[in-house]
Amino acid sequence: MEYSLQEYYRAIEDNIKTVRDNIAESAIKAGRDPADVRLMVVTKTVDINRINHALAQGIDLIGENRVQELLEKNDGFVPSDVEKHLIGHLQSNKVAKILPFVSLIESADSVGICAEISKRAAAIGKTQDVLIELNIAGEESKTGLQPEMLDDLLAEMSRMSNIRVRGIMGVPPICEDEITARRYFSKLHQIFVDKSSQKSDNIRMEILSMGMSGDYAWAVAEGATEVRVGSAIFGIRRY
Ligand SMILES: *Cc1c(COP(=O)(O)O)cnc(C)c1O
């Protein structure tokens, strides 16, 4: 069945409301304040009209996973007061392009990329906020830092002048069952809490970004402060 544009817009409104309700319900059940969980709307492959309709529902944070797509959408379309995060893998040769337009890079995962970000940020007089992406399940097919390397990376980063660590991001394997999924989220949360006590000028653990369309309620139950939701709002992506 094909939807008319009006129906599609209605669906976006309904879906955002449902996601917000689910986040609140899960937070309250876990004894958390729903206001401590921020909803990122993931807009990869979504056209600007649909994005704007989501923004009209009070969304103030969008995520893109490709540099090129983020730049295209930034080009006069998405209002400048909407925060834009990069959530996909970042290559060194794209760092300079993206820095002026991105508020947070959630996918920093190596000393090399962090050094490049700091260097390029210094060149434009910016201090770039990042999250460290952890490969929590040790999956070969995925990017992200191995958790046992985190201390080394943070030690290196404390010597970098124009980059600031704001927290941790994770993309655990998609699990059908709640127990396995929550085990990964709980591991990420544990690391987040452990590192929160570590004080350094440019490391401040405030954001724990985890949970997507299929599992965000479980991520909230395990302590996520930001969830990244795409298809539960816009429907299945067409590439
Ligand atoms: C695409 C993407 C999401 C959103 O995925 P959905 O399952 O559509 O909600 C979240 N995080 C990252 C890193 C992504 O690439």
Side-chain angles (χ1 to χ4, degrees):
M1 198 179 92
E2 282 297 312
Y3 288 100
S4 73
L5 205 54
Q6 284 317 311
E7 287 170 320
Y8 196 96
Y9 282 168
R10 258 302 289 283
I12 291 173
E13 288 168 38
D14 291 347
N15 292 343
I16 288 177
K17 187 177 180 311
T18 302
V19 170
R20 283 178 167 148
D21 287 349
N22 290 341
I23 289 171
E25 187 186 312
S26 184
I28 288 164
K29 234 160 103 187
R32 306 185 56 208
D33 183 350
D36 291 340
V37 185
R38 195 161 179 209
L39 172 60
M40 168 198 282
V41 169
V42 176
T43 50
K44 64 191 184 208
T45 76
V46 177
D47 64 67
I48 202 71
N49 291 329
R50 285 159 203 205
I51 294 174
N52 279 332
H53 201 71
L55 295 176
Q57 314 310 310
I59 296 296
D60 60 359
L61 169 60
I62 65 170
E64 284 285 342
N65 72 334
R66 290 176 52 236
V67 168
Q68 193 54 40
E69 202 172 334
L70 194 150
L71 293 179
E72 280 163 16
K73 285 172 181 166
N74 191 68
D75 204 11
F77 293 113
V78 177
S80 57
D81 58 346
V82 174
E83 255 189 69
K84 293 151 206 109
H85 293 187
L86 184 73
I87 57 174
H89 188 61
L90 177 60
Q91 292 166 310
S92 288
N93 61 357
K94 303 262 174 72
V95 171
K97 264 191 204 156
I98 196 85
L99 280 188
F101 306 106
V102 74
S103 24
L104 184 67
I105 295 170
E106 300 203 3
S107 46
D109 64 356
S110 70
V111 174
I113 199 74
C114 289
E116 180 69 12
I117 290 169
S118 183
K119 184 176 117 190
R120 297 290 184 169
I124 59 167
K126 184 181 186 187
T127 297
Q128 181 61 55
D129 285 338
V130 304
L131 304 183
I132 307 300
E133 182 185 351
L134 293 181
N135 185 340
I136 198 67
E139 294 171 282
E140 301 238 347
S141 61
K142 276 193 189 154
T143 55
L145 183 78
Q146 298 305 321
E148 59 273 20
M149 306 295 287
L150 182 57
D151 284 337
D152 287 351
L153 176 61
L154 293 178
E156 292 281 345
M157 290 182 78
S158 66
R159 291 189 283 273
M160 297 176 190
S161 59
N162 287 66
I163 189 168
R164 186 164 48 202
V165 180
R166 299 281 311 280
I168 283 172
M169 188 269 250
V171 191
I174 293 178
C175 301
E176 297 293 322
D177 78 291
E178 178 170 352
I179 292 175
T180 316
R182 287 183 64 158
R183 199 173 293 142
Y184 288 123
F185 292 136
S186 163
K187 268 188 175 173
L188 283 163
H189 181 252
Q190 191 57 55
I191 296 171
F192 176 71
V193 171
D194 284 351
K195 300 303 164 210
S196 298
S197 59
Q198 191 169 321
K199 288 278 174 281
S200 165
D201 284 348
N202 65 340
I203 299 169
R204 198 167 311 148
M205 294 285 171
E206 296 162 330
I207 302 170
L208 179 57
S209 168
M210 59 183 193
M212 319 199 318
S213 288
D215 53 19
Y216 65 88
W218 299 333
V220 169
E222 295 295 342
T225 71
E226 181 193 302
V227 293
R228 308 179 307 268
V229 181
S231 48
I233 289 169
F234 296 113
I236 309 260
R237 276 182 290 278
R238 299 210 176 89
Y239 287 94

